[in-house]
Amino acid sequence: MRLRNVTGSREVIAASDLVVHEPQAYRGKWHEIFGNHNPIRLEIGMGKGRFIMDLARKNPDINYVGIEKYSSVLIRGIQKLEADPLPNLYFIRMEAEEITAVFAAGEVDRIYLNFSDPWPKDRHAKRRLPSREFLQRYDEILIPEGVIEFKTDNHELFQFALEELEPAGWHLEQMTEDLHHDAQMMQENIMTEYEERFSKKGNPIYKYVIAR
Ligand code: SAH
C-alpha cells in the first residue's frame, strides 16, 4: 500500500485499531478503552505524534489520546505507532471544537497544546486553540486540578494566549519566554517535531502551564 498517497489515508485510518472511531460513543467511558482507571491526558493538534508517543512510552501508568484533524498528518502517527504499539495511547481524527462531545466532565487530567496554528487574522481568533472559547471547552472536560501546557514559537499567539487567561478564569502556574534556556522548565521537556525544527532555527520557545 502506498501510504504516501494522501487519498488513501482516510481508508488506512478507518481500518486502524490504533484510532478510536466514533469517539462520541465513549464519552464518560474512556476507561473502558484503556481497561483501567489511570488518568487521561490529551494532546490537541498532535501532528505526526512524536511528542505524545514519547510521553506515553515514558509514563505507562498514564493514558494518552492524541487528537488531529487531518488524515494526511495523522497517518504518519499511525505508521509510527504501528511499528511500536503502546497500550496506553490512542488517536482520534477530529476537529477539536467537538471535544466536549467526546469527553465528559472531569474525564481528562491534563491537556497539551503544542505549536498550535496561529490563525493570524482577528476574525479567526476563535479558532486558536488557546482562545477563551477553547479554554471554556477545556474547562468542561478537565478535572478541577487539571492543567493545560502550551508551547509555541509564535510570539503573537503566545501574547494572545496570555491575554485570554483572566477573562476565561484561568491563571498562570508557570511561564517562560525561552524554554530551552530555562533549566527548571526544561526538566522533563519532551520535544515536538515543530519544536525541534524551530528551536534549531534559533527561535525562542514560549511555554505556559495554566490552571483554574
Ligand atoms: N503538535 C505538533 C504539530 C503542530 S502543527 C508539533 O508540535 O510538532 C499543529 C497541528 O494541529 C496540525 O497538525 C493541525 O492539523 C492540528 N490542528 C490544528 N487545529 C486543530 C483543530 N481545531 N482540531 C484538531 N487538530 C488541529
Side-chain angles (χ1 to χ4, degrees), residues 102-116:
V102 169
F103 294 95
E107 195 161 27
V108 175
D109 169 84
R110 184 173 300 198
I111 294 174
Y112 298 96
L113 306 174
N114 292 315
F115 296 81
S116 309

Side-chain angles (χ1 to χ4, degrees), residues 43 45 68-70 94-96 114-115 117 192-194:
E43 184 186 8
E68 170 54 51
K69 75 175 162 186
Y70 288 120
M94 66 175 279
E95 162 55 55
N114 292 315
F115 296 81
D117 296 347
T192 81
E193 273 107 351
Y194 273 54

Side-chain angles (χ1 to χ4, degrees), residues 72-88:
S72 58
V73 183
L74 180 58
I75 189 86
R76 304 293 167 210
I78 292 173
Q79 289 166 333
K80 276 193 267 176
L81 191 57
E82 270 171 357
D84 186 8
L86 291 162
N88 58 332

Side-chain angles (χ1 to χ4, degrees), residues 6 28 43 45 68 83 90 114 123 127 140 164 182 209 212:
V6 172
E43 184 186 8
E68 170 54 51
Y90 283 92
N114 292 315
R123 67 190 157 88
R127 298 186 190 174
E140 287 184 39
E164 293 295 272
D182 185 314
V209 180
R212 279 96 115 208

Side-chain angles (χ1 to χ4, degrees), residues 13-14 16-27 29-30 33-34 64-66 74 78 89-94 102-103:
I13 289 167
S16 174
D17 51 16
L18 306 177
V19 175
V20 178
H21 308 284
E22 303 196 29
Q24 294 88 339
Y26 293 95
R27 188 172 187 275
K29 298 188 257 188
W30 279 83
I33 298 230
F34 291 104
Y64 293 93
V65 180
L74 180 58
I78 292 173
L89 174 59
Y90 283 92
F91 297 143
I92 310 176
R93 191 192 64 73
M94 66 175 279
V102 169
F103 294 95

Side-chain angles (χ1 to χ4, degrees), residues 36 38-39 54-64 86-88:
N36 60 51
N38 293 341
D54 286 352
L55 257 186
R57 203 169 293 117
K58 219 173 141 188
N59 302 301
D61 295 336
I62 297 173
N63 297 322
Y64 293 93
L86 291 162
N88 58 332

